[in-house]
Amino acid sequence: MSWVELQPVLCQVGILAILALSLNVLCGLTGLLQLGHAGFYAIGAYTAGCYAIYATVPALGWCNLIPAAAAGMAAAALCSLVIGLPCLRLAGDYLAIATLGFAEIVRLILTNAELPGGRMFPGETIGGPTGIAFTEFPGQVWPGQEHYSAEYATLPVIWLGVGVTYLFLLNIKRSAIGRAFLCIREDEIAARTMGINVPRYKLLAFLLSAAFAGLAGALFFHQQLRINPGNFNLLKSIEVLLIVVLGGMGSLTGAICAAFLLGLLPCLLRHLDLSGVAFLPAILQKPLSEYSMLLYALLLILLTRLLPNGVFAMHELPTWLRPRPKTSPRRKAKAPEGRKP
Amino acid sequence: MKKESIRKEFDFFFAEGLCKSFGGVQAVTDFSLELASREIVGLIGPNGAGKTTVFNLITGLDQPDAGELYFRRAYITREPAHRIARLGIARTFQNIRLLGHLSTLDNIRVAYHSHIRYNLFHAALRLPRYHRVEQDITDKSMQFLKLFHLERDVHTLAGALPYGKRRRLELARALATGASLLLLDEPGAGLNPAETVELTHLIRRLRDEFAVTILLIEHDMKMVMSLCERLVVLNFGRIIATGTPAELRTNEAVLAAYLGQPRTPPC
Ligand SMILES: Nc1ncnc2c1ncn2[C@@H]1O[C@H](COP(=O)(O)OP(=O)(O)O)[C@@H](O)[C@H]1O
Ligand SMILES: [Mg+2]
């Protein structure tokens, strides 16, 4: 497989990784099942798309990516607040159903809503089933610039995004905020008696998760420059959830590794061709990639059966790679304060 | 006014007329209790008497149908549980509620939640304040683990600890919240006699060293009699007697309801 062929695949893996990292905050750390992650992903992508059409500042060049991504994150975060305030009161499965409904509503709105084309597509409309597609440019769009560059979200930029997301969320996981998330996941009643404002932390997890899904969406738009509502269907939400489960609920490193595995899988399957295998019935003689949905389902079943905690469980490294913890504290501890009479 | 006089008289903890029913079951009826600072009070009664429900009402996990609660001059009736915890009431649970997939150390560190003085951005960007606060919390947590003889299990997952240590860890976690009122729900359940004696000493030590008030539910009469300065006896959700252990030893109603029936400790 050549580098040219591999590059877009690695971009996709990066975007999947950001999606999985963000979903992991909600599903893995806080223990809330969410089936509508694609909704926030779509909001991020379309917001970045609208920014590109209506608000691009040509002088900024590739720097336009930064306000576009920020707008995508903000829009997704805002929606998460609107959805989260009523929905997070719902327990377990009901929350999953509510978020699933939300993602479908977003997709249907995007399928049906049309917007004016602005400076970029004068006289045309954008949105609807065809979405936003920057394919043909009516000549010179901006003075001195031939294209709304497709090079904005290149491989390094996307993986920079992965790195930033990873470090941001990892630092949060290892702080009091992450402990509060985990505490809610482990035992909500215990969390309440520890002084943790459970609804507030659930909303925070929801918000963080949505914001980074928005980032993934913005990067996706800038990498593809053509998006349509079909990119953000239920299957996408399930795929991301599968990655989170595969990597281990709560393991951010695991999420990235699993994104690699599942992101590269279709690419590998395409190269495994069963068409030449004589002893198979004709109906099975296809490239393996035709079976990818079947294999996903099989993988999910096997996983929950064999590795219910995912490859990494909730840790950042699998057991055999983890350094042995020191049992003695590094610094000499002071006596607990404020507890003396 | 009545509320004002109540506040003056009982400036530590006061509950009046608490009622709670679940459907048709009247779990607690007209429960009143006052606690002075640094007291150890026992709440006893047969199974199903409503003791755990009283704890749930005090900690805000359940809302009372009627009645009022004051803690350190604050009116805390119908406050959310996390706010009551912040004011300084902590508890342990009859069926231990630890964070099974977290290490022993993290189980203690989570108790410092209400004392954390940094926000999301301090944490995400690893600003100096984050390091300072975390180091401080870790040091204090280690100190607590030492006090409770858990220092060898710092990195063990709480779910993997043996039963006795889980009980101790939950007690340590309640204390680490900085609470001034500890509600202990059957801390001795399932412990062997040697462990029970150790626990008795530990609880008394906590009261003396940390100046906490302890409200204790316990079935082990030896432990209750030796620890508690005062007892409240519940039966069918009602207080049937209060008094010192010595007084209640001869109380007819108590004997009939509770002490009369010889009990083997549950395992
Ligand atoms: N959440 C609940 N729903 C329904 N009934 C309950 C609930 N909690 C407690 N009860 C009932 O209230 C009564 C008192 O229970 P509890 O407070 O747990 O007793 P104790 O702790 O003294 O053994 C019991 O009859 C119990 O069945
Ligand atoms: Mg009970």
Side-chain angles (χ1 to χ4, degrees), chain A residues 10-334:
Chain A
L10 289 179
C11 286
Q12 283 309 302
V13 169
I15 288 165
L16 270 181
I18 297 177
L19 280 173
L21 286 170
S22 62
L23 187 63
N24 214 337
V25 174
L26 197 64
C27 292
L29 293 186
T30 320
L32 298 171
L33 185 55
Q34 126 96 301
L35 289 175
H37 212 49
F40 298 112
Y41 181 42
I43 288 167
Y46 270 79
T47 306
C50 288
Y51 173 88
I53 290 170
Y54 301 121
T56 301
V57 183
L60 281 179
W62 68 268
C63 288
N64 275 310
L65 188 59
I66 294 166
M73 290 177 83
L78 205 66
C79 286
S80 78
L81 282 185
V82 175
I83 302 304
L85 280 173
C87 285
L88 287 173
R89 293 175 179 279
L90 300 173
D93 306 342
Y94 297 104
L95 177 69
I97 302 294
T99 51
L100 183 111
F102 157 74
E104 275 307 287
I105 290 169
V106 169
R107 199 176 61 81
L108 289 174
I109 289 175
L110 293 178
T111 312
N112 291 298
E114 300 206 326
L115 290 170
R119 286 176 297 177
M120 204 72 93
F121 304 105
E124 294 174 44
T125 57
I126 58 158
T130 49
I132 300 174
F134 282 39
T135 40
E136 290 169 294
F137 289 92
Q140 203 124 315
V141 181
W142 313 113
Q145 196 180 355
E146 298 233 347
H147 302 287
Y148 182 88
S149 175
E151 306 296 307
Y152 282 178
T154 54
L155 189 60
V157 170
I158 286 175
W159 279 91
L160 183 71
V162 177
V164 168
T165 308
Y166 177 71
L167 284 180
F168 193 96
L169 297 180
L170 188 65
N171 284 350
I172 286 177
K173 181 186 171 183
R174 291 183 171 162
S175 73
I177 297 158
R179 285 198 296 271
F181 288 161
L182 285 165
C183 190
I184 291 171
R185 181 187 87 170
E186 295 287 307
D187 193 323
E188 206 171 305
I189 289 176
R192 288 164 68 195
T193 60
M194 290 293 109
I196 293 168
N197 186 344
V198 172
R200 195 164 137 203
Y201 275 86
K202 281 186 176 176
L203 194 62
L204 178 63
F206 206 52
L207 189 117
L208 278 173
S209 157
F212 283 98
L215 174 67
L219 290 174
F220 178 66
F221 168 77
H222 279 276
Q223 191 245 336
Q224 296 275 317
L225 287 182
R226 47 162 70 231
I227 51 176
N228 63 63
N231 298 129
F232 311 102
N233 55 18
L234 175 63
L235 230 52
K236 195 73 194 177
S237 300
I238 304 272
E239 187 186 356
V240 178
L241 187 63
L242 180 59
I243 292 173
V244 172
V245 175
L246 178 64
M249 296 289 236
S251 171
L252 300 177
T253 315
I256 293 181
C257 295
F260 256 104
L261 198 67
L262 279 204
L264 292 178
L265 196 65
C267 189
L268 295 177
L269 292 180
R270 220 171 298 134
H271 288 262
L272 290 174
D273 205 337
L274 296 184
S275 357
V277 188
F279 62 84
L280 284 176
I283 194 164
L284 288 180
Q285 293 198 7
K286 288 175 184 157
L288 263 183
S289 55
E290 306 262 319
Y291 300 109
S292 61
M293 282 336 286
L294 195 71
L295 289 172
Y296 271 12
L298 211 64
L299 193 63
L300 194 56
I301 293 169
L302 283 179
L303 249 162
T304 41
R305 191 79 196 87
L306 301 176
L307 276 176
N309 292 325
V311 180
F312 284 36
M314 57 170 282
H315 305 286
E316 289 310 322
L317 289 172
T319 333
W320 45 275
L321 271 177
R322 231 173 294 153
R324 283 191 62 79
K326 289 184 290 256
T327 38
S328 59
R330 259 180 306 123
R331 264 171 42 178
K332 219 177 137 29
K334 294 182 301 219

Side-chain angles (χ1 to χ4, degrees), chain B residues 46-253:
Chain B
N47 273 327
K51 306 178 298 293
T52 300
T53 307
V54 166
F55 274 20
N56 289 345
L57 295 177
I58 295 175
T59 50
L61 291 177
D62 267 335
Q63 304 297 331
D65 302 330
E68 289 175 340
L69 288 161
Y70 295 87
F71 178 60
R72 297 208 286 190
R73 291 163 191 268
Y75 180 70
I76 56 166
T77 321
R78 273 177 267 278
E79 284 285 302
H82 66 90
R83 209 167 295 155
I84 291 177
R86 276 166 180 259
L87 285 173
I89 301 182
R91 69 175 288 180
T92 63
F93 293 87
Q94 189 171 350
N95 44 345
I96 311 171
R97 286 183 180 274
L98 286 174
L99 318 176
H101 293 99
L102 267 61
S103 69
T104 302
L105 180 62
D106 276 340
N107 267 273
I108 301 277
R109 287 203 288 193
V110 90
Y112 285 96
H113 187 82
S114 22
H115 306 286
I116 297 287
R117 292 286 170 270
Y118 62 77
N119 62 28
L120 186 84
F121 291 97
H122 291 115
L125 305 176
R126 291 277 161 121
L127 298 181
R129 185 191 287 198
Y130 162 85
H131 290 287
R132 211 165 51 234
V133 172
E134 283 294 304
Q135 186 63 55
D136 191 34
I137 286 174
T138 309
D139 290 349
K140 286 181 186 170
S141 303
M142 290 301 303
Q143 204 64 30
F144 268 110
L145 289 176
K146 279 218 190 73
L147 179 66
F148 285 79
H149 304 298
L150 290 162
E151 69 271 21
R152 289 165 168 275
D153 300 293
V154 174
H155 296 284
T156 316
L157 296 189
L161 288 175
Y163 187 82
K165 285 184 176 175
R166 292 221 296 273
R167 281 256 175 239
R168 280 213 300 273
L169 178 58
E170 206 195 16
L171 187 54
R173 186 180 69 177
L175 191 67
T177 59
S180 49
L181 173 57
L182 288 187
L183 311 179
L184 309 181
D185 199 344
E186 304 197 17
L191 300 185
N192 63 36
E195 286 175 320
T196 310
V197 170
E198 199 183 320
L199 180 70
T200 310
H201 292 309
L202 183 63
I203 291 177
R204 194 176 292 122
R205 209 180 134 195
L206 293 186
R207 192 270 306 269
D208 296 341
E209 279 183 27
F210 295 95
V212 289
T213 304
I214 292 170
L215 182 60
L216 176 75
I217 298 178
E218 186 49 64
H219 284 307
D220 186 304
M221 277 307 129
K222 227 173 100 197
M223 181 170 165
V224 169
M225 294 291 173
S226 72
L227 261 181
C228 301
E229 288 135 18
R230 220 149 47 84
L231 292 179
V232 177
V233 190
L234 271 185
N235 199 16
F236 296 112
R238 286 177 187 278
I239 297 181
I240 56 166
T242 55
T244 62
E247 285 166 9
L248 293 184
R249 234 186 265 268
T250 53
N251 186 308
E252 297 273 315

